[in-house]
């Protein structure tokens, strides 16, 4: 069972992709999969260009399979204008490195969709920790996004369960993020909502992982 996005890796739970903020780069090692990036909450740090240079230097490492989580958050961090500036800088970086993006977005969906359209980025984008409604899910899928669902599936609001059913299986990932819920619980909850077997869901997400990260 692949855990698409987490901040606490359990080595006994199969493949996990650990997300590191720019302040956590010291946690990198060659025994796992990682994504790194300037989180929107960090977008007002004074030495941002130096941090981005450090990320550029690290991105070619084989264990770093994507950049993220990066994006926009209207509830925390710098002004939305500053967040957009830092976000676009990282999109330009990743389009040169050719590794996919993992997106954090809170209450800035219109801006996210506009930036994706404006930049014409050629690498895959995935929204992690999706908690939106079916209409938003359909809009994001139509714009080329993958969606990753997490622990809220264990006790989902009806709109979240419906959003999951509107997500094409080949655009789907599952994750734990910072939740203590196990990745197995998330898979079993998703399989119940989607009315497919856990084995089939595991096979599909393994295929999605291979395609998304080109592994």
């Amino acid at each position: 069972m692949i855990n698409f996005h987490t901040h606490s890796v359990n080595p006994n739970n199969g493949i996990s992709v650990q997300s590191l903020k720019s302040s956590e780069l010291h946690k990198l090692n060659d025994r796992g999969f990682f994504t790194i990036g300037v989180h929107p909450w960090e977008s007002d740090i004074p030495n941002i260009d130096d941090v981005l240079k450090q990320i550029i230097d690290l991105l070619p490492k084989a264990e770093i399979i994507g950049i993220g989580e990066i994006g926009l958050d209207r509830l925390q961090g710098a002004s939305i204008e500053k967040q957009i500036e830092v976000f676009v800088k990282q999109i330009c970086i990743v389009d040169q490195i050719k590794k996919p993006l993992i997106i954090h977005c809170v209450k800035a969906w219109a801006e996210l969709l506009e930036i994706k359209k404006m930049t014409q980025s050629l690498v895959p984008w995935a929204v992690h920790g999706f908690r939106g409604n079916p209409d938003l899910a359909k809009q994001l899928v139509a714009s080329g996004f993958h969606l990753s669902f997490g622990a809220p599936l264990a006790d989902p609001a009806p709109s979240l369960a419906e959003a999951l059913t509107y997500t094409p299986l080949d655009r789907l990932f599952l994750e734990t993020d910072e939740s203590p819920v196990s990745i197995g619980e998330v898979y079993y909850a998703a399989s119940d909502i989607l009315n497919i077997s856990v084995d089939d869901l595991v096979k599909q997400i393994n295929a999605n992982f291979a395609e998304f990260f080109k592994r």
Side-chain angles (χ1 to χ4, degrees):
M1 293 181 178
I2 290 174
N3 190 344
F4 180 73
H5 179 93
T6 184
H7 296 274
S8 55
V9 171
N10 183 336
N12 299 316
N13 277 353
I15 295 174
S16 295
V17 182
Q18 186 174 0
S19 176
L20 299 179
K21 296 183 178 71
S22 64
S23 58
E24 300 174 316
L25 298 180
H26 61 281
K27 296 181 181 180
L28 273 172
N29 60 69
D30 59 3
R31 298 184 300 279
F33 293 129
F34 296 87
T35 62
I36 61 174
V38 178
H39 193 286
W41 299 351
E42 301 177 307
S43 50
D44 56 354
I45 56 178
N47 59 331
I48 188 69
D49 288 332
D50 292 338
V51 172
L52 289 173
K53 174 64 166 59
Q54 186 180 10
I55 288 172
I56 290 170
D57 291 343
L58 289 170
L59 277 174
K61 288 180 172 288
E63 61 269 25
I64 299 173
I65 61 175
I67 187 166
E69 57 193 280
I70 66 174
L72 307 169
D73 191 325
R74 283 193 175 276
L75 299 184
Q76 195 166 341
S79 68
I80 195 68
E81 291 79 16
K82 181 63 176 178
Q83 289 188 30
I84 289 171
E85 176 189 336
V86 174
F87 183 31
V88 171
K89 283 184 178 181
Q90 292 182 92
I91 295 168
C92 293
I93 290 168
V94 83
D95 267 356
Q96 296 174 26
I97 302 293
K98 305 301 182 192
K99 292 186 178 182
L101 292 177
I102 290 77
I103 304 297
H104 170 109
C105 187
V106 176
K107 297 186 180 298
W109 299 107
E111 291 87 350
L112 178 66
L113 288 162
E114 180 59 30
I115 289 168
K116 190 171 192 301
K117 181 179 178 181
M118 175 192 72
T119 59
Q120 298 184 336
S121 176
L122 299 176
V123 300
W125 294 30
V127 172
H128 101 85
F130 183 77
R131 299 188 183 197
N133 59 41
D135 287 341
L136 179 58
K138 286 187 281 188
Q139 190 175 10
L140 290 168
V141 167
S143 296
F145 286 87
H146 293 65
L147 301 182
S148 182
F149 293 75
L153 289 182
D155 184 22
S159 62
L160 181 61
E162 187 178 355
L164 177 64
T165 67
Y166 278 108
T167 305
L169 289 178
D170 63 357
R171 300 275 198 89
L172 174 65
F173 290 109
L174 298 173
E175 64 176 74
T176 60
D177 195 14
E178 296 179 314
S179 171
V181 169
S182 73
I183 192 62
E185 291 177 74
V186 179
Y187 271 78
Y188 276 93
S191 71
D192 186 55
I193 295 167
L194 294 170
N195 195 29
I196 63 174
S197 73
V198 172
D199 285 347
D200 285 346
L201 187 56
V202 168
K203 290 175 184 175
Q204 179 66 61
I205 291 181
N206 272 264
N208 297 350
F209 180 88
E211 174 63 24
F212 187 80
F213 290 112
K214 302 300 180 190
R215 305 201 67 81

